[in-house]
Amino acid sequence: MTETATSMGRVPVGDPIPLRFDPQTKQRLDEVAGGIGPRRFGALVRVAAHRLLADPDRVPAALDEYRRVSAAARSLPRVEIFFDLDPATDRRLEELARAHHTKRSAIVRVAAHRFLHAAGRFRPHVLREDARGDLTCRTRLHVNRCTLDRLDRLTGRNGDVLTAAALRVALRRLLDDPGDLTTDLAAFGAVRDLAPEVFGLRTNVHFDDELRDQLDALARQLGSDRAELMRLAAHRLLAHPRDLEQAVTDEIYRGESNRGQLLARNERRKTTITAATMPVVKTPSPAGRPFGRPHSFLVDEDTKRRLHELADEYGPRRVSALVRVGIRRLLDNPSNLTADLTTVAPVQDLRPEPPKARIAVALDDELLVHLDALAGRLGSTRQELVYLAATRILRQHTGIETLMLDEMYRAPGNRQKLITRHARRERRRRTRYGDGA
């Protein structure tokens, strides 16, 4: 059965909209979406759009601030030029700049802007200005590079490039008719050349019809477009990333049928991330390694040899597990221990002599407590009880396969596999010695 966009409580996400973000914003959005879950970028962008549209009254001021910050970041330095004027024009320019509390360069930039937008019949005036010989006052100005380029193209259409002469013509026009200079100084005198905005590759995000229409309507009111508003929404979301996991989950699955399951999966993911970031604590392995610290015990040479032969049937280095099985059986059935301990006494008498043989048995704290408690009740020692457990397991070791596997591999999930492996090993062993015919 084909899965539709509305199955299992999914939002009908609609048609894709191509969006482009600057590389830094796109990277941060990817990181936030990746922290919430796989394939969450589109839902995260839709959450940003919903939050922008939820408070449309604040969007105009936010958009102006976004444009101002973007322009400040992309502003290019102005070009420094040396400008020659006659004394009378130089004095008038200084007086006008002082009257408007601004710099001479700002007034020249406004004059150039007016000239470029309404040059009229400028060629004779520029030629006469270029032929003047009373330009004795040199001043340093800062103008935008694009202004000089446009003046070069304008004056160079019919011959020599006369940019400086065109600037003086524009300045004298402004001095003769200042007009609304205060407004023009704010609108054009402070404008800088901007580097073009650099956006990454196009990203398609699915928007339903209602969300897309609301976004387009707001863009028309503000003289903007859908892409610029979404870049503003992304910046606001990254600046205030509150409750994003729940918002993205609600955006992906608005239906009630799957909400509990998705929230539970979210909790499992957070638990997994928390566990992965916690410091690693070394714990005893349940996969065949003996628990506890190894303890050394005395046995005779024959007992040690027989213990190794029996333990080898279950795998290499299994003596410790075999003795632990014997100790557990001893603790579970402590009957007739008094009589058996009389046969162990000679081992104690041999202690002043050189040790006959030693075995290492790993014992955890719980097993040691029970072993010592039993020794205290019987007036014996840990050494005697371990030696007794070893001799008993050698006499009565039929049917201990499961006990050995439990002792070597305490993880229940591996038990059946290990029992099967042990059965295969046992068949091969019997076949090797001629018992499998």
Side-chain angles (χ1 to χ4, degrees):
M1 183 176 65
T2 303
E3 184 179 357
T4 64
T6 57
S7 67
M8 297 187 65
R10 282 186 177 274
V11 179
V13 291
D15 297 327
I17 292 178
L19 298 175
R20 297 175 67 195
F21 301 95
D22 62 271
Q24 183 179 4
T25 301
K26 179 64 165 58
Q27 180 182 359
R28 293 179 61 194
L29 288 173
D30 286 334
E31 291 173 354
V32 173
I36 298 174
R39 299 184 300 278
R40 294 296 188 262
F41 183 84
L44 182 65
V45 173
R46 289 196 296 274
V47 168
H50 282 298
R51 291 186 175 182
L52 183 76
L53 294 170
D55 193 4
D57 294 338
R58 295 187 179 182
V59 175
L63 183 61
D64 291 340
E65 179 64 15
Y66 170 74
R67 289 172 175 173
R68 186 193 66 77
V69 172
S70 176
R74 295 181 292 113
S75 295
L76 297 177
R78 293 190 174 101
V79 179
E80 183 181 73
I81 62 172
F82 290 94
F83 195 54
D84 294 331
L85 292 172
D86 61 275
T89 304
D90 183 73
R91 185 176 59 258
R92 293 175 63 192
L93 176 60
E94 182 64 29
E95 292 173 354
L96 187 62
R98 191 181 303 112
H100 286 80
H101 306 286
T102 187
K103 295 181 179 180
R104 298 156 66 100
S105 295
I107 294 178
V108 173
R109 288 195 293 269
V110 172
H113 174 80
R114 292 181 179 181
F115 182 79
L116 288 169
H117 283 76
R121 187 171 179 268
F122 67 91
R123 184 70 178 175
H125 305 286
V126 171
L127 291 175
R128 284 196 298 269
E129 187 65 39
D130 184 62
R132 293 184 62 160
D134 57 346
L135 306 176
T136 58
C137 296
R138 170 159 288 196
T139 185
R140 186 174 61 180
L141 301 175
H142 294 87
V143 295
N144 293 325
R145 168 60 66 183
C146 72
T147 300
L148 296 180
D149 293 341
R150 293 175 63 186
L151 285 172
D152 288 347
R153 290 194 298 270
L154 181 64
T155 60
R157 290 184 303 182
N158 301 312
D160 296 334
V161 177
L162 304 175
T163 303
L167 272 177
R168 287 193 291 272
V169 170
L171 178 58
R172 288 195 176 89
R173 286 184 179 181
L174 183 143
L175 292 173
D176 293 339
D177 183 14
D180 191 0
L181 184 57
T182 302
T183 302
D184 285 352
L185 282 172
F188 309 115
V191 172
R192 285 180 176 269
D193 289 343
L194 302 180
E197 293 185 284
V198 178
F199 300 120
L201 297 176
R202 184 181 67 182
T203 302
N204 289 331
V205 179
H206 292 264
F207 277 41
D208 57 71
D209 294 341
E210 181 181 0
L211 183 59
R212 185 177 61 250
D213 293 344
Q214 292 177 2
L215 199 63
D216 290 343
L218 183 61
R220 286 193 297 270
Q221 294 176 11
L222 301 176
S224 179
D225 55 44
R226 183 191 300 162
E228 186 180 37
L229 288 186
M230 285 311 306
R231 287 192 285 271
L232 170 63
H235 278 275
R236 296 184 67 182
L237 182 80
L238 293 173
H240 306 284
R242 63 184 188 280
D243 303 329
L244 285 183
E245 290 194 17
Q246 183 63 45
V248 170
T249 301
D250 291 342
E251 177 60 32
I252 298 175
Y253 295 87
R254 293 186 184 174
E256 295 291 337
S257 59
N258 292 323
R259 178 162 297 169
Q261 176 186 357
L262 290 164
L263 293 178
R265 187 168 65 187
N266 236 11
E267 290 299 323
R268 289 196 301 270
R269 184 187 301 115
K270 287 192 291 186
T271 303
T272 303
I273 294 174
T274 303
T277 56
M278 289 178 63
V280 178
V281 179
K282 188 175 182 181
T283 57
S285 169
R289 297 187 182 91
F291 294 124
R293 186 170 58 88
H295 297 262
S296 180
F297 298 98
L298 279 171
V299 295
D300 58 85
E301 294 285 355
D302 183 63
T303 300
K304 182 177 180 179
R305 178 184 56 79
R306 292 171 62 195
L307 284 173
H308 278 282
E309 289 177 354
L310 180 59
D312 285 344
E313 296 185 9
Y314 300 94
R317 301 182 299 278
R318 293 295 186 261
V319 172
S320 186
L322 180 63
V323 175
R324 284 200 305 276
V325 170
I327 293 172
R328 294 185 192 281
R329 292 180 69 175
L330 190 73
L331 295 173
D332 292 339
N333 186 21
S335 60
N336 298 326
L337 283 182
T338 305
D340 289 343
L341 283 173
T342 59
T343 63
V344 182
V347 177
Q348 297 284 14
D349 297 337
L350 292 176
R351 281 187 175 178
E353 302 177 6
K356 294 297 183 180
R358 290 184 181 273
I359 58 172
V361 181
L363 300 174
D364 56 58
D365 294 338
E366 181 182 1
L367 196 57
L368 280 174
V369 169
H370 289 299
L371 192 63
D372 292 340
L374 181 60
R377 290 198 306 269
L378 298 175
S380 180
T381 62
R382 186 188 299 174
Q383 162 66 47
E384 288 182 347
L385 292 183
V386 171
Y387 181 74
L388 179 59
T391 56
R392 275 192 170 188
I393 199 69
L394 289 174
R395 290 197 308 266
Q396 302 171 0
H397 58 266
T398 57
I400 65 169
E401 287 84 357
T402 302
L403 296 176
M404 282 292 294
L405 292 172
D406 288 344
E407 187 60 43
M408 292 185 296
Y409 298 89
R410 295 187 182 181
N414 293 331
R415 182 168 299 149
Q416 187 58 46
K417 180 175 68 174
L418 294 167
I419 291 175
T420 304
R421 182 190 303 170
H422 178 68
R424 289 198 301 268
R425 186 187 300 118
E426 184 68 13
R427 285 196 299 270
R428 288 196 298 269
R429 187 185 64 82
R430 292 179 179 178
T431 302
R432 189 185 314 121
Y433 290 103
D435 298 335

